Amino acid sequence: MQFASELAQVGGFTVLNDVVFNQVVVRCQSDELTERACARIQALRECWVGNSTWKGSRVIRISVCSWATTAADVTRSVRSFEQALRDVAASSQS
């Protein structure tokens, strides 16, 4: 739930699902931006997320599945989402 609430406060990501336990599904404004942001998040290597299709749209799927994950880990991961989106936006303007 922390991941979803922190990401909901980050501009550029929309949380699509009702978070019940440990799965969060988000997307950006377009399928292309979602794909590029996901690839950049993976390249930053702060956390691992996967891409998928949900209800016909490309999404980023987050699964927090380790008992060792702390609140600080989640916040650090959300910061990598922010960085990834900034990086992708900057590369689009070049």
Side-chain angles (χ1 to χ4, degrees):
M1 299 262 247
Q2 177 192 346
F3 218 124
S5 78
E6 286 190 29
L7 269 180
Q9 296 175 31
V10 173
F13 292 99
T14 302
V15 177
L16 300 175
N17 66 317
D18 292 328
V19 179
V20 176
F21 184 55
N22 68 337
Q23 302 288 311
V24 184
V25 178
V26 300
R27 71 173 270 111
C28 299
Q29 295 174 344
S30 69
D31 286 347
E32 178 189 0
L33 188 56
T34 301
E35 288 285 328
R36 293 178 64 214
C38 185
R40 183 65 186 140
I41 293 163
Q42 292 169 340
L44 289 170
R45 301 178 62 94
E46 189 62 50
C47 62
W48 178 258
V49 296
N51 53 8
S52 188
T53 301
W54 192 57
K55 295 186 177 182
S57 295
R58 297 302 292 162
V59 297
I60 299 170
R61 190 178 66 80
I62 305 155
S63 179
V64 180
C65 55
S66 173
W67 65 270
T69 302
T70 66
D73 294 331
V74 172
T75 297
R76 198 170 57 249
S77 295
V78 169
R79 298 297 160 252
S80 75
F81 274 67
E82 291 177 298
Q83 181 64 52
L85 200 53
R86 280 193 303 271
D87 293 351
V88 168
S91 71
S92 294
Q93 295 174 359
S94 309

